[in-house]
Structures are given as structure tokens and as C-alpha cells.
Amino acid sequence: EDKVVQSPLSLVVHEGDTVTLNCSYEVTNFRSLLWYKQEKKAPTFLFMLTSSGIEKKSGRLSSILDKKELFSILNITATQTGDSAVYLCAVEYDAGNMLTFGGGTRLMVKP
Amino acid sequence: GAVVSQHPSWVICKSGTSVKIECRSLDFQATTMFWYRQFPKQSLMLMATSNEGSKATYEQGVEKDKFLINHASLTLSTLTVTSAHPEDSSFYICSARTPDSVYNEQFFGPGTRLTVL
């Protein structure tokens, strides 16, 4: 049973494009949703979302959570080749005792 | 899709005891497994890379004698936290890579929350 599902599985764009990555979840006692970027070693933390409708922004990246529809999106504007990576979504639930990762979205940005 | 499980999902132990955490790939053979620790502010730290049949490769600053890793089969890797102390309390997460991985994709386990009293 999938608890955290990311789409698309992979994406190829050109520099300057805007991309939207999706993460849907189905868990009990939701606590937070986390976005990570993984390039080489450990995933790099991007955002933590706990409240619906509040956009979190960092440079060209932004993310928002919809707790009613149980999903989150990660937007990247004006993509660069350095944005090429696997983007992971993870959900903390059951009072923070559980953490489940989605399968990731592989983004490739071509020059 | 590839499924990775961890056992136990959470454990509470007394200071000075050892705790073993199992990571299993359920429907594929994982030639490589990774162990991570989650720190405050949700950052993940790679502790070690475990290859089946060989010694684990530990990241700088990780005590190999304290965090024993065994990857005895293509579907099982274990992390043993020896002489655990309260500062070892954390979320420990494993991931596994399939042999035919092209883009280094990893499949993550659900994590194990360790609380040391």
C-alpha cells in the first residue's frame, strides 16, 4: 500500500523552463511533509510544510501543501542544469513516529 | 515498485544497551544499502554505504565501532547501535539501490525511531 506517491517519475526539461513536481499522501495523524533534493550523497532538506495554503519559498523553489486534498507541489522556476537531481517527498505521521518517502521524481535539465 | 522495510519501526532502550535495526529489500536484491540519520531541522546525514559481502564504507565522523553495519545478504542489512546513549536518539533510515539502477535511484525504508533513556 503506497502511502506517499510522487509524480512524474521522471522529467526532462530545458534550462529556463518551469517545472511542477507532485506528491500525494495518505496517512493517519499527519504531522508534516518534507521535500528533499538528492544529488550525490544524503538528500538535502528543502522545505517542511505543516499548514495548508502557506507557500514556502527559497529562491527559485517554492512549495505548498493542501491538507484537504492530501498533496503538495514543488515548483522550480527558471530551471538550471544544477537543478538536475532526484526530488524526494517524505511524510511524517503518527505523531512523528513514522516517516515515509515517496519514490522520487528524477529531474533532468538540459542546457 | 521496489519496497524497503525496516524493523523495528520504533524502539526505546536504556542507556548502555545495544540495539539492532534491520533493513530489508522485499521484492528485489539490493547490492547496495545506505544508512542515514535524521538530525534536527530534518536534515539527513549519510552514515555509511553497505555493500553485500563486504565491509561498510563509513562517512567521516561516524564511529564504525559504535554503529556496526552488516550486509550479509542481498536483501538484508543491519545497523547495530552499540552502548547506546541518549545522544544517539534519532530517526535512522535505510535505503537500497537495485542492481540495475541507472540513475542511482534509491528506495527508502520507513525509518526507525530510536529513543535512548
Side-chain angles (χ1 to χ4, degrees):
Chain A
E1 173 187 346
D2 289 331
K3 288 186 167 61
V4 182
V5 179
Q6 291 185 245
S7 63
L9 293 179
S10 65
L11 193 56
V12 181
V13 300
H14 288 93
E15 273 192 318
D17 289 348
T18 294
V19 297
T20 298
L21 310 182
N22 304 290
C23 175
S24 63
Y25 63 92
E26 185 176 344
V27 300
T28 55
N29 300 317
F30 171 88
R31 180 168 175 163
S32 65
L33 186 143
L34 314 171
W35 282 99
Y36 292 90
K37 176 183 181 183
Q38 181 164 32
E39 294 173 273
K40 293 180 180 178
K41 290 196 171 179
T44 304
F45 171 73
L46 297 175
F47 299 111
M48 182 175 79
L49 304 161
T50 56
S51 302
S52 274
I54 299 175
E55 184 183 55
K56 293 243 176 150
K57 197 172 174 65
S58 176
R60 295 176 294 102
L61 276 66
S62 64
S63 183
I64 197 162
L65 174 68
D66 186 328
K67 290 170 74 174
K68 181 179 178 183
E69 300 298 329
L70 308 182
F71 77 92
S72 172
I73 60 172
L74 174 68
N75 277 322
I76 308 175
T77 59
T79 52
Q80 302 171 357
T81 55
D83 295 327
S84 297
V86 174
Y87 289 84
L88 296 162
C89 163
V91 174
E92 285 186 316
Y93 60 105
D94 273 348
N97 284 323
M98 305 298 288
L99 176 72
T100 296
F101 282 82
T105 293
R106 169 158 291 282
L107 173 65
M108 183 179 294
V109 182
K110 293 187 172 182
Chain B
V3 179
V4 176
S5 71
Q6 281 185 240
H7 177 80
S9 56
W10 60 274
V11 57
I12 301 173
C13 69
K14 292 182 179 180
S15 186
T17 60
S18 294
V19 175
K20 180 186 282 188
I21 302 169
E22 294 185 348
C23 176
R24 292 182 184 272
S25 56
L26 297 185
D27 51 2
F28 67 100
Q29 293 183 328
T31 49
T32 305
M33 288 183 169
F34 305 87
W35 286 97
Y36 296 89
R37 178 174 174 176
Q38 186 186 49
F39 279 94
K41 296 188 178 181
Q42 288 70 43
S43 65
L44 292 179
M45 180 194 80
L46 178 64
M47 299 174 65
T49 301
S50 169
N51 292 298
E52 186 268 337
S54 63
K55 290 184 178 180
T57 303
Y58 289 82
E59 296 299 306
Q60 193 171 11
V62 178
E63 300 176 60
K64 58 182 67 176
D65 293 331
K66 179 167 182 65
F67 298 100
L68 301 177
I69 292 173
N70 186 302
H71 193 159
S73 77
L74 285 171
T75 60
L76 173 64
S77 176
T78 61
L79 166 68
T80 302
V81 183
T82 63
S83 187
H85 290 283
E87 57 265 31
D88 298 325
S89 298
S90 187
F91 227 132
Y92 291 88
I93 303 161
C94 77
S95 70
R97 190 165 66 198
T98 62
D100 56 355
S101 165
V102 175
Y103 301 110
N104 193 33
E105 53 267 41
Q106 297 176 29
F107 299 96
F108 285 82
T112 296
R113 185 171 287 284
L114 170 63
T115 301
V116 185
L117 303 177

PDB file of all heavy atoms in Angstrom, chain A residues 46-74:
ATOM      1  N   LEU A  46      14.905  20.644   1.789  1.00  0.00           N
ATOM      2  CA  LEU A  46      14.436  21.857   1.110  1.00  0.00           C
ATOM      3  C   LEU A  46      13.365  22.570   1.932  1.00  0.00           C
ATOM      4  O   LEU A  46      13.528  23.730   2.290  1.00  0.00           O
ATOM      5  CB  LEU A  46      13.877  21.506  -0.276  1.00  0.00           C
ATOM      6  CG  LEU A  46      14.844  20.910  -1.294  1.00  0.00           C
ATOM      7  CD1 LEU A  46      14.097  20.513  -2.559  1.00  0.00           C
ATOM      8  CD2 LEU A  46      15.962  21.890  -1.618  1.00  0.00           C
ATOM      9  N   PHE A  47      12.259  21.885   2.175  1.00  0.00           N
ATOM     10  CA  PHE A  47      11.142  22.518   2.853  1.00  0.00           C
ATOM     11  C   PHE A  47      10.465  21.543   3.804  1.00  0.00           C
ATOM     12  O   PHE A  47      10.459  20.349   3.576  1.00  0.00           O
ATOM     13  CB  PHE A  47      10.052  22.959   1.845  1.00  0.00           C
ATOM     14  CG  PHE A  47      10.497  23.964   0.838  1.00  0.00           C
ATOM     15  CD1 PHE A  47      10.621  23.613  -0.498  1.00  0.00           C
ATOM     16  CD2 PHE A  47      10.774  25.272   1.212  1.00  0.00           C
ATOM     17  CE1 PHE A  47      11.015  24.537  -1.440  1.00  0.00           C
ATOM     18  CE2 PHE A  47      11.175  26.202   0.274  1.00  0.00           C
ATOM     19  CZ  PHE A  47      11.293  25.838  -1.053  1.00  0.00           C
ATOM     20  N   MET A  48       9.867  22.108   4.849  1.00  0.00           N
ATOM     21  CA  MET A  48       8.952  21.367   5.696  1.00  0.00           C
ATOM     22  C   MET A  48       7.624  22.112   5.688  1.00  0.00           C
ATOM     23  O   MET A  48       7.591  23.320   5.943  1.00  0.00           O
ATOM     24  CB  MET A  48       9.457  21.233   7.123  1.00  0.00           C
ATOM     25  CG  MET A  48       8.511  20.409   7.985  1.00  0.00           C
ATOM     26  SD  MET A  48       9.109  20.088   9.650  1.00  0.00           S
ATOM     27  CE  MET A  48       8.742  21.631  10.445  1.00  0.00           C
ATOM     28  N   LEU A  49       6.556  21.401   5.404  1.00  0.00           N
ATOM     29  CA  LEU A  49       5.235  22.007   5.317  1.00  0.00           C
ATOM     30  C   LEU A  49       4.325  21.358   6.349  1.00  0.00           C
ATOM     31  O   LEU A  49       4.252  20.128   6.435  1.00  0.00           O
ATOM     32  CB  LEU A  49       4.655  21.798   3.910  1.00  0.00           C
ATOM     33  CG  LEU A  49       5.536  22.311   2.772  1.00  0.00           C
ATOM     34  CD1 LEU A  49       5.140  21.656   1.457  1.00  0.00           C
ATOM     35  CD2 LEU A  49       5.399  23.822   2.672  1.00  0.00           C
ATOM     36  N   THR A  50       3.638  22.191   7.100  1.00  0.00           N
ATOM     37  CA  THR A  50       2.711  21.652   8.100  1.00  0.00           C
ATOM     38  C   THR A  50       1.316  22.230   7.944  1.00  0.00           C
ATOM     39  O   THR A  50       0.334  21.602   8.362  1.00  0.00           O
ATOM     40  CB  THR A  50       3.209  21.943   9.525  1.00  0.00           C
ATOM     41  OG1 THR A  50       3.404  23.356   9.658  1.00  0.00           O
ATOM     42  CG2 THR A  50       4.526  21.235   9.811  1.00  0.00           C
ATOM     43  N   SER A  51       1.213  23.401   7.367  1.00  0.00           N
ATOM     44  CA  SER A  51      -0.090  24.066   7.253  1.00  0.00           C
ATOM     45  C   SER A  51      -0.503  24.194   5.795  1.00  0.00           C
ATOM     46  O   SER A  51       0.314  24.440   4.913  1.00  0.00           O
ATOM     47  CB  SER A  51      -0.016  25.457   7.881  1.00  0.00           C
ATOM     48  OG  SER A  51       0.373  25.351   9.234  1.00  0.00           O
ATOM     49  N   SER A  52      -1.786  24.074   5.563  1.00  0.00           N
ATOM     50  CA  SER A  52      -2.315  24.199   4.203  1.00  0.00           C
ATOM     51  C   SER A  52      -2.249  25.625   3.715  1.00  0.00           C
ATOM     52  O   SER A  52      -2.461  26.567   4.472  1.00  0.00           O
ATOM     53  CB  SER A  52      -3.789  23.760   4.172  1.00  0.00           C
ATOM     54  OG  SER A  52      -3.909  22.381   3.990  1.00  0.00           O
ATOM     55  N   GLY A  53      -1.994  25.764   2.414  1.00  0.00           N
ATOM     56  CA  GLY A  53      -2.135  27.050   1.769  1.00  0.00           C
ATOM     57  C   GLY A  53      -1.037  28.055   2.007  1.00  0.00           C
ATOM     58  O   GLY A  53      -1.074  29.149   1.443  1.00  0.00           O
ATOM     59  N   ILE A  54      -0.068  27.714   2.815  1.00  0.00           N
ATOM     60  CA  ILE A  54       1.026  28.661   3.076  1.00  0.00           C
ATOM     61  C   ILE A  54       2.213  28.268   2.221  1.00  0.00           C
ATOM     62  O   ILE A  54       2.794  27.189   2.401  1.00  0.00           O
ATOM     63  CB  ILE A  54       1.406  28.667   4.563  1.00  0.00           C
ATOM     64  CG1 ILE A  54       0.210  29.091   5.403  1.00  0.00           C
ATOM     65  CG2 ILE A  54       2.599  29.587   4.795  1.00  0.00           C
ATOM     66  CD1 ILE A  54       0.444  29.020   6.888  1.00  0.00           C
ATOM     67  N   GLU A  55       2.563  29.144   1.286  1.00  0.00           N
ATOM     68  CA  GLU A  55       3.661  28.829   0.382  1.00  0.00           C
ATOM     69  C   GLU A  55       5.005  29.059   1.059  1.00  0.00           C
ATOM     70  O   GLU A  55       5.231  30.086   1.701  1.00  0.00           O
ATOM     71  CB  GLU A  55       3.583  29.682  -0.889  1.00  0.00           C
ATOM     72  CG  GLU A  55       4.651  29.330  -1.927  1.00  0.00           C
ATOM     73  CD  GLU A  55       4.604  30.239  -3.143  1.00  0.00           C
ATOM     74  OE1 GLU A  55       4.666  31.463  -2.959  1.00  0.00           O
ATOM     75  OE2 GLU A  55       4.518  29.704  -4.271  1.00  0.00           O
ATOM     76  N   LYS A  56       5.885  28.100   0.892  1.00  0.00           N
ATOM     77  CA  LYS A  56       7.249  28.272   1.365  1.00  0.00           C
ATOM     78  C   LYS A  56       8.108  28.532   0.127  1.00  0.00           C
ATOM     79  O   LYS A  56       7.927  27.893  -0.910  1.00  0.00           O
ATOM     80  CB  LYS A  56       7.735  27.014   2.081  1.00  0.00           C
ATOM     81  CG  LYS A  56       6.998  26.757   3.379  1.00  0.00           C
ATOM     82  CD  LYS A  56       7.924  26.832   4.543  1.00  0.00           C
ATOM     83  CE  LYS A  56       7.174  26.669   5.853  1.00  0.00           C
ATOM     84  NZ  LYS A  56       7.984  26.052   6.893  1.00  0.00           N
ATOM     85  N   LYS A  57       9.028  29.463   0.248  1.00  0.00           N
ATOM     86  CA  LYS A  57       9.798  29.872  -0.926  1.00  0.00           C
ATOM     87  C   LYS A  57      11.267  29.999  -0.573  1.00  0.00           C
ATOM     88  O   LYS A  57      11.624  30.494   0.501  1.00  0.00           O
ATOM     89  CB  LYS A  57       9.261  31.215  -1.427  1.00  0.00           C
ATOM     90  CG  LYS A  57       9.670  31.587  -2.840  1.00  0.00           C
ATOM     91  CD  LYS A  57       8.909  32.824  -3.281  1.00  0.00           C
ATOM     92  CE  LYS A  57       9.411  33.317  -4.638  1.00  0.00           C
ATOM     93  NZ  LYS A  57       9.152  32.357  -5.714  1.00  0.00           N
ATOM     94  N   SER A  58      12.097  29.515  -1.484  1.00  0.00           N
ATOM     95  CA  SER A  58      13.540  29.671  -1.326  1.00  0.00           C
ATOM     96  C   SER A  58      14.138  29.855  -2.709  1.00  0.00           C
ATOM     97  O   SER A  58      14.289  28.883  -3.470  1.00  0.00           O
ATOM     98  CB  SER A  58      14.139  28.445  -0.634  1.00  0.00           C
ATOM     99  OG  SER A  58      15.549  28.552  -0.551  1.00  0.00           O
ATOM    100  N   GLY A  59      14.431  31.092  -3.042  1.00  0.00           N
ATOM    101  CA  GLY A  59      14.980  31.366  -4.369  1.00  0.00           C
ATOM    102  C   GLY A  59      13.985  31.007  -5.455  1.00  0.00           C
ATOM    103  O   GLY A  59      12.845  31.480  -5.442  1.00  0.00           O
ATOM    104  N   ARG A  60      14.413  30.133  -6.350  1.00  0.00           N
ATOM    105  CA  ARG A  60      13.536  29.740  -7.457  1.00  0.00           C
ATOM    106  C   ARG A  60      12.621  28.565  -7.095  1.00  0.00           C
ATOM    107  O   ARG A  60      11.817  28.132  -7.918  1.00  0.00           O
ATOM    108  CB  ARG A  60      14.404  29.365  -8.666  1.00  0.00           C
ATOM    109  CG  ARG A  60      15.208  30.527  -9.236  1.00  0.00           C
ATOM    110  CD  ARG A  60      16.142  30.087 -10.375  1.00  0.00           C
ATOM    111  NE  ARG A  60      17.193  29.195  -9.899  1.00  0.00           N
ATOM    112  CZ  ARG A  60      17.173  27.875 -10.058  1.00  0.00           C
ATOM    113  NH1 ARG A  60      16.175  27.290 -10.697  1.00  0.00           N
ATOM    114  NH2 ARG A  60      18.165  27.138  -9.601  1.00  0.00           N
ATOM    115  N   LEU A  61      12.770  28.050  -5.887  1.00  0.00           N
ATOM    116  CA  LEU A  61      11.955  26.923  -5.452  1.00  0.00           C
ATOM    117  C   LEU A  61      10.839  27.393  -4.539  1.00  0.00           C
ATOM    118  O   LEU A  61      11.040  28.287  -3.708  1.00  0.00           O
ATOM    119  CB  LEU A  61      12.814  25.905  -4.693  1.00  0.00           C
ATOM    120  CG  LEU A  61      13.593  24.880  -5.505  1.00  0.00           C
ATOM    121  CD1 LEU A  61      14.678  25.531  -6.337  1.00  0.00           C
ATOM    122  CD2 LEU A  61      14.187  23.829  -4.592  1.00  0.00           C
ATOM    123  N   SER A  62       9.691  26.797  -4.692  1.00  0.00           N
ATOM    124  CA  SER A  62       8.580  27.083  -3.792  1.00  0.00           C
ATOM    125  C   SER A  62       7.744  25.829  -3.642  1.00  0.00           C
ATOM    126  O   SER A  62       7.748  24.942  -4.506  1.00  0.00           O
ATOM    127  CB  SER A  62       7.728  28.242  -4.322  1.00  0.00           C
ATOM    128  OG  SER A  62       7.126  27.891  -5.557  1.00  0.00           O
ATOM    129  N   SER A  63       7.021  25.763  -2.544  1.00  0.00           N
ATOM    130  CA  SER A  63       6.211  24.585  -2.281  1.00  0.00           C
ATOM    131  C   SER A  63       4.993  24.965  -1.483  1.00  0.00           C
ATOM    132  O   SER A  63       5.015  25.940  -0.709  1.00  0.00           O
ATOM    133  CB  SER A  63       7.033  23.533  -1.522  1.00  0.00           C
ATOM    134  OG  SER A  63       6.278  22.361  -1.331  1.00  0.00           O
ATOM    135  N   ILE A  64       3.942  24.196  -1.653  1.00  0.00           N
ATOM    136  CA  ILE A  64       2.712  24.457  -0.938  1.00  0.00           C
ATOM    137  C   ILE A  64       2.038  23.140  -0.624  1.00  0.00           C
ATOM    138  O   ILE A  64       2.231  22.146  -1.330  1.00  0.00           O
ATOM    139  CB  ILE A  64       1.789  25.389  -1.761  1.00  0.00           C
ATOM    140  CG1 ILE A  64       0.713  26.010  -0.875  1.00  0.00           C
ATOM    141  CG2 ILE A  64       1.182  24.651  -2.943  1.00  0.00           C
ATOM    142  CD1 ILE A  64       0.065  27.227  -1.484  1.00  0.00           C
ATOM    143  N   LEU A  65       1.264  23.133   0.445  1.00  0.00           N
ATOM    144  CA  LEU A  65       0.607  21.918   0.917  1.00  0.00           C
ATOM    145  C   LEU A  65      -0.911  22.104   0.909  1.00  0.00           C
ATOM    146  O   LEU A  65      -1.404  23.174   1.261  1.00  0.00           O
ATOM    147  CB  LEU A  65       1.081  21.609   2.348  1.00  0.00           C
ATOM    148  CG  LEU A  65       0.424  20.467   3.110  1.00  0.00           C
ATOM    149  CD1 LEU A  65       0.778  19.133   2.492  1.00  0.00           C
ATOM    150  CD2 LEU A  65       0.837  20.518   4.579  1.00  0.00           C
ATOM    151  N   ASP A  66      -1.629  21.075   0.509  1.00  0.00           N
ATOM    152  CA  ASP A  66      -3.090  21.067   0.570  1.00  0.00           C
ATOM    153  C   ASP A  66      -3.502  19.879   1.433  1.00  0.00           C
ATOM    154  O   ASP A  66      -3.508  18.736   0.973  1.00  0.00           O
ATOM    155  CB  ASP A  66      -3.673  20.948  -0.835  1.00  0.00           C
ATOM    156  CG  ASP A  66      -5.194  21.083  -0.864  1.00  0.00           C
ATOM    157  OD1 ASP A  66      -5.849  20.667   0.130  1.00  0.00           O
ATOM    158  OD2 ASP A  66      -5.733  21.577  -1.856  1.00  0.00           O
ATOM    159  N   LYS A  67      -3.842  20.150   2.686  1.00  0.00           N
ATOM    160  CA  LYS A  67      -4.151  19.063   3.623  1.00  0.00           C
ATOM    161  C   LYS A  67      -5.541  18.496   3.421  1.00  0.00           C
ATOM    162  O   LYS A  67      -5.856  17.416   3.898  1.00  0.00           O
ATOM    163  CB  LYS A  67      -3.986  19.556   5.057  1.00  0.00           C
ATOM    164  CG  LYS A  67      -2.532  19.806   5.416  1.00  0.00           C
ATOM    165  CD  LYS A  67      -2.380  20.510   6.742  1.00  0.00           C
ATOM    166  CE  LYS A  67      -2.660  19.617   7.912  1.00  0.00           C
ATOM    167  NZ  LYS A  67      -2.354  20.302   9.190  1.00  0.00           N
ATOM    168  N   LYS A  68      -6.362  19.230   2.677  1.00  0.00           N
ATOM    169  CA  LYS A  68      -7.703  18.714   2.396  1.00  0.00           C
ATOM    170  C   LYS A  68      -7.638  17.674   1.271  1.00  0.00           C
ATOM    171  O   LYS A  68      -8.241  16.607   1.362  1.00  0.00           O
ATOM    172  CB  LYS A  68      -8.624  19.864   1.984  1.00  0.00           C
ATOM    173  CG  LYS A  68     -10.058  19.430   1.699  1.00  0.00           C
ATOM    174  CD  LYS A  68     -10.932  20.605   1.324  1.00  0.00           C
ATOM    175  CE  LYS A  68     -12.346  20.133   1.010  1.00  0.00           C
ATOM    176  NZ  LYS A  68     -13.219  21.260   0.554  1.00  0.00           N
ATOM    177  N   GLU A  69      -6.876  18.012   0.227  1.00  0.00           N
ATOM    178  CA  GLU A  69      -6.739  17.099  -0.904  1.00  0.00           C
ATOM    179  C   GLU A  69      -5.544  16.166  -0.752  1.00  0.00           C
ATOM    180  O   GLU A  69      -5.299  15.320  -1.599  1.00  0.00           O
ATOM    181  CB  GLU A  69      -6.620  17.898  -2.212  1.00  0.00           C
ATOM    182  CG  GLU A  69      -7.819  18.783  -2.504  1.00  0.00           C
ATOM    183  CD  GLU A  69      -9.108  17.974  -2.671  1.00  0.00           C
ATOM    184  OE1 GLU A  69      -9.031  16.806  -3.132  1.00  0.00           O
ATOM    185  OE2 GLU A  69     -10.179  18.492  -2.326  1.00  0.00           O
ATOM    186  N   LEU A  70      -4.786  16.341   0.303  1.00  0.00           N
ATOM    187  CA  LEU A  70      -3.661  15.471   0.651  1.00  0.00           C
ATOM    188  C   LEU A  70      -2.579  15.444  -0.432  1.00  0.00           C
ATOM    189  O   LEU A  70      -2.185  14.374  -0.935  1.00  0.00           O
ATOM    190  CB  LEU A  70      -4.156  14.040   0.925  1.00  0.00           C
ATOM    191  CG  LEU A  70      -5.286  13.890   1.928  1.00  0.00           C
ATOM    192  CD1 LEU A  70      -5.616  12.414   2.127  1.00  0.00           C
ATOM    193  CD2 LEU A  70      -4.951  14.541   3.260  1.00  0.00           C
ATOM    194  N   PHE A  71      -2.091  16.626  -0.775  1.00  0.00           N
ATOM    195  CA  PHE A  71      -0.978  16.651  -1.721  1.00  0.00           C
ATOM    196  C   PHE A  71      -0.166  17.923  -1.527  1.00  0.00           C
ATOM    197  O   PHE A  71      -0.598  18.885  -0.879  1.00  0.00           O
ATOM    198  CB  PHE A  71      -1.468  16.536  -3.174  1.00  0.00           C
ATOM    199  CG  PHE A  71      -2.038  17.804  -3.734  1.00  0.00           C
ATOM    200  CD1 PHE A  71      -1.244  18.703  -4.434  1.00  0.00           C
ATOM    201  CD2 PHE A  71      -3.377  18.111  -3.572  1.00  0.00           C
ATOM    202  CE1 PHE A  71      -1.766  19.880  -4.954  1.00  0.00           C
ATOM    203  CE2 PHE A  71      -3.906  19.283  -4.089  1.00  0.00           C
ATOM    204  CZ  PHE A  71      -3.104  20.165  -4.779  1.00  0.00           C
ATOM    205  N   SER A  72       1.011  17.870  -2.112  1.00  0.00           N
ATOM    206  CA  SER A  72       1.894  19.026  -2.103  1.00  0.00           C
ATOM    207  C   SER A  72       2.536  19.139  -3.476  1.00  0.00           C
ATOM    208  O   SER A  72       2.683  18.136  -4.191  1.00  0.00           O
ATOM    209  CB  SER A  72       2.982  18.864  -1.042  1.00  0.00           C
ATOM    210  OG  SER A  72       3.947  19.886  -1.136  1.00  0.00           O
ATOM    211  N   ILE A  73       2.890  20.344  -3.854  1.00  0.00           N
ATOM    212  CA  ILE A  73       3.636  20.546  -5.090  1.00  0.00           C
ATOM    213  C   ILE A  73       4.924  21.303  -4.790  1.00  0.00           C
ATOM    214  O   ILE A  73       4.995  22.100  -3.842  1.00  0.00           O
ATOM    215  CB  ILE A  73       2.820  21.292  -6.156  1.00  0.00           C
ATOM    216  CG1 ILE A  73       2.390  22.677  -5.658  1.00  0.00           C
ATOM    217  CG2 ILE A  73       1.632  20.468  -6.609  1.00  0.00           C
ATOM    218  CD1 ILE A  73       1.758  23.524  -6.747  1.00  0.00           C
ATOM    219  N   LEU A  74       5.917  20.993  -5.590  1.00  0.00           N
ATOM    220  CA  LEU A  74       7.196  21.697  -5.532  1.00  0.00           C
ATOM    221  C   LEU A  74       7.400  22.340  -6.904  1.00  0.00           C
ATOM    222  O   LEU A  74       7.386  21.639  -7.909  1.00  0.00           O
ATOM    223  CB  LEU A  74       8.335  20.726  -5.227  1.00  0.00           C
ATOM    224  CG  LEU A  74       9.749  21.302  -5.276  1.00  0.00           C
ATOM    225  CD1 LEU A  74       9.970  22.285  -4.133  1.00  0.00           C
ATOM    226  CD2 LEU A  74      10.795  20.185  -5.203  1.00  0.00           C
TER     227      LEU A  74
END
